Amino acid sequence: MTTRRLSAVAAALTAATLMAACSSGTNAGSGGKNTLTIASVDQGSIEPVVKAFEAANPGVKVNLTTSGADQHQQQIRTQLSSGTAPDVMSVWPGNGNPGATYVIAKPGYLLDLSDQPWAAQLPDAFKKLAQYEGKTYNALFGLNGIGAVYNDEAMRKAGLTAPGTWTDLLAFCRAAAGKGTPAFALGIQDNWVTQLALYALVATDVYGTDKDFDTKMQNGQATFAGSAWANAMAKYQEMNTAGCFQKSPLSTSYEASQTLAATGRTLGIIQGNWVVALLKQKNPSGTFTMKALPATDDAARFLMPAAAGMGYGVNAKAKNRELSLKFVNFIMSPEGMKLFNEAQGSLPTLPTAATTIDPGLTELTTYVKDNRTVPFMDQLWPNAKVQQTMLSGLQEVFSDQATAAEVLKDMDTDYKAGS
C-alpha cells in the first residue's frame, strides 16, 4: 500500500473515531410508542413528507435529523453496531458505499421488508439493488440521473447555449470564464461530489462503446486503469484546466455550490436531478434545465447515468418497529411517493405514484424512456472501499497530490479484494 493510501486510511479511521465519539451516549432510537426517529440525507425534501405523515397519523411525533452524505455514511454503521441508531435511516442501493444496502444488511442491521405491499412491485432493475440474498431491505422511491443542470436565466444573460459535443463543452467553458461567470459550480469539499462529473463522462466514454464493461470487470477481463476510465479521468482534468469550474472547488462545499448555481454566479452545476429542487429553494423564481454532459463529439453515443436513488431502511432493532414500517409504507404509497418525488425532483420507481415531473428534467426522462442510461457505476462494485478510494483520490488529484493513474490503480486493488 502506498504512503498516500496509508494516509487516506488513517484519515478515514480518525474521522470514524471522532464520529463515534460524538455520537456515543445518545440513543437516537429512543422514544415512546408514538415517537419515530429518522436520520436522513434528504434535507429539503423529506421535511414535507414527514409533515404529511404526522398529519395522517395524529399524535405521532417524528424526531428527524438530517446530515450530509459523508457524515451519515461515517456514523450510521457505528450507531447500528452500538445500538444507538434511529428507527429509520437513509440507505443507498446496491453495494457502493458504507451506507449501502448490501453493506448494512449483511451483518443483520436492517429489517427484512420483503413482506411489505410494495416490495414485489419494484421493477427488477431496482429490486436487485434493494435486496440482499433475495430479501428486500430498502424502500427505493426515486429514480435519479446525473448531468449538467443549467440556470436558464444565467445562460440568457451570458448569451450562451448548452453545449452539444465535447468540443463545444470546452469552448463553452472558456467562453463562460471569459465573461466572468464560470460554467459549473463544483463543491468537492464534500468528497462524494467528486464522482458526479466523472460518472457523467464515464457513462458515454466507457459504456458508450462497451455496455458489458461491468461483466468484464466481474470476470477479471477488464480493469479501471486499462480502460476508457482513464480517458474520462483525463477529460475531467481537462475540464478543470479549461476553466469549467469556479476557483477553489476543494474549498467549496456542496451547499455553497448550490448557491453559486442558483444565484447565477455560475451558469450551472453538474449534479443529480435532485439538485433542481434545492436550487429552486434558493431561487424560487429560477428555472433550471438538465442536459446530458457531452463526453464525445458524437451526440448519438451520449448516455446518462441513471439509477435508483437513496431510499429508506428500518433498523432491525428499531425501538418502534410498527411505526417504522408505517413510515416506509407511506413513502412507497402513491401519495407519499408523489410527494417525495416532487419535493426531491426525482422520478418515481412505481407507476402508481402519478408524479408530476419538473419540465427541466425532460431530457433525463427521454433518456430513461429510450434506454440510453447506465447504472451509477459504484452500485454493483464488490465492496464499498472502491468508491471511497475513488472519492479521496479525486480530491488528491485536484490538489495535485496524486495522479489519475494512481487513483485508478488503487481502485483496481480494492476491486480485486472482492466483497
Side-chain angles (χ1 to χ4, degrees):
M1 183 178 287
T2 64
T3 300
R4 181 177 67 81
R5 280 171 60 78
L6 284 170
S7 298
V9 170
L13 289 173
T14 299
T17 301
L18 287 173
M19 291 307 300
C22 290
S23 64
S24 64
T26 301
N27 190 337
S30 63
K33 65 177 182 178
N34 290 324
T35 300
L36 180 68
T37 55
I38 302 175
S40 175
V41 298
D42 271 317
Q43 188 171 12
S45 53
I46 189 173
E47 290 85 352
V49 178
V50 167
K51 185 176 180 181
F53 177 72
E54 289 179 328
N57 296 274
V60 167
K61 171 62 179 174
V62 175
N63 291 333
L64 172 68
T65 59
T66 59
S67 61
D70 295 342
Q71 180 183 352
H72 180 89
Q73 290 170 11
Q74 286 173 0
Q75 69 184 9
I76 199 64
R77 282 291 297 272
T78 299
Q79 292 178 337
L80 285 165
S81 62
S82 64
T84 61
D87 296 319
V88 177
M89 69 209 76
S90 294
V91 178
W92 281 259
N95 199 39
N97 64 61
T101 305
Y102 301 1
V103 178
I104 303 178
K106 184 177 182 179
Y109 291 141
L110 293 179
L111 185 68
D112 182 4
L113 304 176
S114 302
D115 60 351
Q116 301 307 304
W118 47 267
Q121 300 172 25
L122 282 174
D124 290 342
F126 302 146
K127 193 178 296 183
K128 184 176 182 179
L129 299 172
Q131 293 183 337
Y132 176 72
E133 295 187 342
K135 296 180 179 179
T136 300
Y137 293 96
N138 197 343
L140 298 176
F141 63 87
L143 168 67
N144 292 309
I146 298 171
V149 178
Y150 298 96
N151 181 322
D152 296 342
E153 179 61 24
M155 293 283 279
R156 283 192 290 270
K157 287 182 178 179
L160 297 173
T161 56
T165 66
W166 169 250
T167 299
D168 290 344
L169 175 63
L170 296 180
F172 171 78
C173 289
R174 295 188 183 103
K179 294 174 181 291
T181 309
F184 304 110
L186 183 63
I188 57 173
Q189 184 181 87
D190 295 284
N191 75 351
W192 70 271
V193 177
T194 60
Q195 68 195 310
L196 300 179
L198 179 60
Y199 281 9
L201 295 167
V202 165
T204 296
D205 260 347
V206 176
Y207 298 89
T209 56
D210 188 359
K211 288 197 172 184
D212 295 325
F213 181 77
D214 283 330
T215 301
K216 291 178 181 178
M217 285 287 290
Q218 292 163 8
N219 294 336
Q221 298 171 332
T223 60
F224 293 115
S227 72
W229 270 82
N231 300 337
M233 280 279 217
K235 288 178 179 178
Y236 197 0
Q237 293 173 278
E238 190 174 355
M239 289 179 66
N240 191 38
T241 302
C244 288
F245 311 118
Q246 86 286 355
K247 292 181 180 179
S248 304
L250 280 166
S251 60
T252 304
S253 68
Y254 174 45
E255 176 76 20
S257 71
Q258 295 171 37
T259 300
L260 292 174
T263 59
R265 290 160 61 190
T266 64
L267 299 183
I269 187 170
I270 300 171
Q271 262 288 342
N273 51 278
W274 56 80
V275 84
V276 172
L278 299 174
L279 297 178
K280 287 185 174 182
Q281 289 178 18
K282 296 179 182 296
N283 180 5
S285 64
T287 58
F288 305 90
T289 301
M290 187 177 197
K291 298 282 187 181
L293 183 69
T296 72
D297 283 345
D298 181 5
R301 283 181 49 210
F302 288 178
L303 298 174
M304 293 182 75
M310 184 277 302
Y312 287 88
V314 175
N315 185 348
K317 296 182 179 179
K319 301 299 186 296
N320 200 328
R321 179 177 295 194
E322 182 179 351
L323 201 55
S324 299
L325 290 173
K326 184 174 285 190
F327 181 76
V328 295
N329 288 337
F330 178 76
I331 289 174
M332 300 302 288
S333 70
E335 176 192 358
M337 189 175 290
K338 174 180 169 64
L339 182 59
F340 219 143
N341 290 151
E342 292 178 0
Q344 189 187 64
S346 57
L347 311 182
T349 56
L350 300 179
T352 55
T355 301
T356 300
I357 299 171
D358 190 293
L361 301 179
T362 298
E363 183 159 311
L364 171 61
T365 304
T366 300
Y367 269 64
V368 170
K369 180 181 177 182
D370 293 346
N371 197 30
R372 296 180 61 192
T373 65
V374 294
F376 293 166
M377 289 74 207
D378 58 273
Q379 289 185 336
L380 291 177
W381 287 346
N383 59 66
K385 186 66 172 66
V386 183
Q387 188 196 46
Q388 299 307 304
T389 294
M390 176 186 65
L391 298 180
S392 59
L394 285 170
Q395 286 182 320
E396 291 175 356
V397 168
F398 269 82
S399 61
D400 296 321
Q401 298 179 63
T403 66
E406 289 174 329
V407 175
L408 291 173
K409 183 178 179 181
D410 289 344
M411 288 169 63
D412 280 324
T413 298
D414 290 326
Y415 190 100
K416 291 173 183 176
S419 58

